[in-house]
Amino acid sequence: AQRVTQPEKLLSVFKGAPVELKCNYSYSGSPELFWYVQYSRQRLQLLLRHISRESIKGFTADLNKGETSFHLKKPFAQEEDSAMYYCALRGSGTASKLTFGTGTRLQVTL
Amino acid sequence: GAVVSQHPSWVICKSGTSVKIECRSLDFQATTMFWYRQFPKQSLMLMATSNEGSKATYEQGVEKDKFLINHASLTLSTLTVTSAHPEDSSFYICSARGPDRWTEAFFGQGTRLTVV
């Protein structure tokens, strides 16, 4: 079974402050981890995936297999970062379905 | 990125009637489509996975006779909620992916279904 846990429903930070959205997963094989973002009144869209190892909109996420974590980080939060963030896992089996966490709402205030 | 369009964006129907939701990939061939359900302030729950030309694979606990999925072409999948009841009211989201299962899946804008 695959499971994704996002412990925080809401994270409120000041503009310019560092951001860390937590994500832990449970999976017996080698997973592929993703972060999706949903801005207000918009559809879900891919933010980044661990295999790409890239920074998107200043966000990075490192897969830590020892801690089974894939936390999303950004050094300086911007107002436009306010959105709903979902961590997701895709297993290595043929089903290749995505399992989503419950999401964390990031609120960046002035 | 590629575009996935869902129609309608919202629908209200009476109890006992059936509702069809369409999911179209506009600029790529979607060999696999996924249907999710999202309750207020909760995560997306996968309902079923459909591959073009094949029967859909339903997740545990999802009634296949209740939620009929058809994926007859590479650009269209439909979800029909049959004999809808108020408890079927929810936000339904589809996503579509090309033939390579490691590629990104793109999401539709979702359909808000309200059964009265």
Side-chain angles (χ1 to χ4, degrees):
Chain A
Q2 48 196 64
R3 184 182 299 173
V4 178
T5 303
Q6 291 179 253
E8 303 144 324
K9 287 189 175 180
L10 172 66
L11 181 65
S12 187
V13 301
F14 288 109
K15 178 181 176 181
V19 174
E20 183 179 50
L21 299 171
K22 292 188 175 5
C23 172
N24 287 87
Y25 67 90
S26 174
Y27 184 67
S28 57
S30 293
E32 189 174 1
L33 275 296
F34 304 81
W35 276 99
Y36 282 84
V37 60
Q38 188 170 31
Y39 299 103
S40 180
R41 298 175 187 266
Q42 294 187 29
R43 68 189 66 199
L44 205 63
Q45 56 185 287
L46 179 65
L47 179 62
L48 53 80
R49 54 203 301 181
H50 90 269
I51 60 172
S52 300
R53 294 181 175 273
E54 54 190 350
S55 173
I56 305 293
K57 299 184 179 182
F59 285 98
T60 58
D62 292 318
L63 179 61
N64 185 322
K65 292 186 177 181
E67 297 182 357
T68 59
S69 68
F70 188 56
H71 304 325
L72 183 67
K73 300 177 183 180
K74 184 170 182 176
F76 308 104
Q78 302 297 317
E79 277 186 88
E80 55 266 29
D81 296 329
S82 295
M84 195 73 181
Y85 291 81
Y86 293 95
C87 183
L89 176 153
R90 182 162 68 188
S92 53
T94 54
S96 63
K97 61 184 182 183
L98 279 173
T99 298
F100 285 86
T102 49
T104 298
R105 180 166 298 283
L106 175 64
Q107 198 170 63
V108 181
T109 56
L110 296 175
Chain B
V3 179
V4 174
S5 177
Q6 258 182 266
H7 179 80
S9 296
W10 59 271
V11 58
I12 301 173
C13 71
K14 292 184 178 180
S15 288
T17 61
S18 295
V19 175
K20 180 183 285 187
I21 302 170
E22 292 186 349
C23 179
R24 293 181 184 274
S25 58
L26 300 186
D27 50 5
F28 69 103
Q29 293 185 327
T31 50
T32 304
M33 287 189 173
F34 305 89
W35 286 95
Y36 297 85
R37 185 173 178 176
Q38 186 177 30
F39 292 103
K41 299 186 180 181
Q42 294 190 31
S43 186
L44 286 77
M45 300 299 297
L46 182 65
M47 299 174 65
T49 302
S50 73
N51 291 297
E52 184 264 336
S54 303
K55 287 185 178 180
T57 301
Y58 289 80
E59 294 299 300
Q60 193 172 11
V62 178
E63 299 176 58
K64 59 180 68 177
D65 294 331
K66 172 79 172 171
F67 299 99
L68 300 178
I69 292 173
N70 183 279
H71 190 170
S73 79
L74 286 171
T75 58
L76 173 65
S77 176
T78 60
L79 167 67
T80 302
V81 182
T82 62
S83 187
H85 290 283
E87 55 265 31
D88 298 326
S89 298
S90 191
F91 196 56
Y92 293 88
I93 304 171
C94 74
S95 74
R97 192 194 69 211
D100 183 350
R101 71 183 188 95
W102 299 111
T103 59
E104 178 182 349
F106 296 93
F107 285 79
Q109 72 273 36
T111 297
R112 167 89 46 210
L113 170 63
T114 302
V115 185
V116 298

